[in-house]
Amino acid sequence: MGKKGQAPIKVVKVVLCGGLMPKQSVEYSAGYDLYVPFDTVIKRGRQVVPIGVKIGLPPGIDGHIRPRSGFSIKGMEGYTIPRFKWLKPKKKRFDADVIEGTVDCGYRDGIGVIINNHDKPFVIEGGSRIAQMVFSKHELPQLLETDELTGFDRGGGLGHTGTK
């Protein structure tokens, strides 16, 4: 049962396949942090980083993989890849972003986080939080083809009301 007066919390089963259990950072975090299970090279461009976790979402619930806010504003944290073995890797922020994704309730394979790296290749250290997953309820209404739409038309879109 959830907190007093709330509906019961649904259970989401998690299978660890070499990954770490997703966790909330603090009690009221909206989502669960997702971790890189081992040191991972992030190449330039887009790639999927497996997190070593499978989840079983109940019908009507989906998971949204989102960036961590700090990485979105400051860049993704990682280590340089030295050109020579005697040089030490340096910790820094890289121009790389997590691209949002959705985990459907029928999906049972391993979860991955999509990263788009606009910078030089770098290494994310195993055990690092790289993204978060937020769960939400969804509905799938019946779609009905029609020749016209009735009712209110607010007009415009894509910023037609301006910025002020």
Side-chain angles (χ1 to χ4, degrees):
M1 182 81 178
K3 294 182 180 174
K4 188 174 180 178
Q6 291 181 343
I9 297 172
K10 294 191 181 238
V11 172
V12 173
K13 293 181 179 179
V14 178
V15 176
L16 300 179
C17 309
L20 300 168
M21 186 70 166
K23 296 179 188 149
Q24 284 181 295
S25 291
V26 295
E27 182 181 2
Y28 294 107
S29 293
Y32 292 80
D33 288 330
L34 302 176
Y35 300 84
V36 177
F38 44 81
D39 290 1
T40 302
V41 174
I42 305 301
K43 301 173 197 137
R44 189 168 171 79
R46 293 178 189 223
Q47 74 183 73
V48 177
V49 176
I51 61 163
V53 171
K54 296 179 182 181
I55 60 173
L57 295 173
I61 301 290
D62 52 48
H64 296 270
I65 297 177
R66 300 179 179 173
R68 296 183 62 222
S69 300
F71 284 177
S72 292
I73 191 69
K74 299 176 188 173
M76 190 165 278
E77 197 171 80
Y79 289 88
T80 59
I81 300 173
R83 293 174 70 180
F84 303 105
K85 290 182 182 181
W86 63 85
L87 293 174
K88 285 183 126 183
K90 295 180 183 169
K91 190 174 191 176
K92 68 176 256 185
R93 299 283 182 154
F94 293 87
D95 184 14
D97 301 299
V98 168
I99 298 176
E100 292 192 27
T102 300
V103 180
D104 295 310
C105 63
Y107 183 74
R108 295 293 185 264
D109 286 332
I111 295 172
V113 173
I114 304 166
I115 295 179
N116 191 7
N117 180 14
H118 312 279
D119 214 323
K120 295 178 182 176
F122 65 97
V123 174
I124 294 179
E125 189 174 25
S128 297
R129 299 176 292 160
I130 61 163
Q132 59 184 317
M133 187 180 315
V134 176
F135 298 99
S136 59
K137 293 181 183 181
H138 68 265
E139 293 186 36
L140 290 173
Q142 179 183 355
L143 301 180
L144 177 64
E145 184 178 349
T146 184
D147 292 329
E148 70 177 286
L149 300 175
T150 59
F152 177 74
D153 180 1
R154 73 177 210 116
L158 298 175
H160 86 283
T161 60
T163 57
K164 292 186 181 191

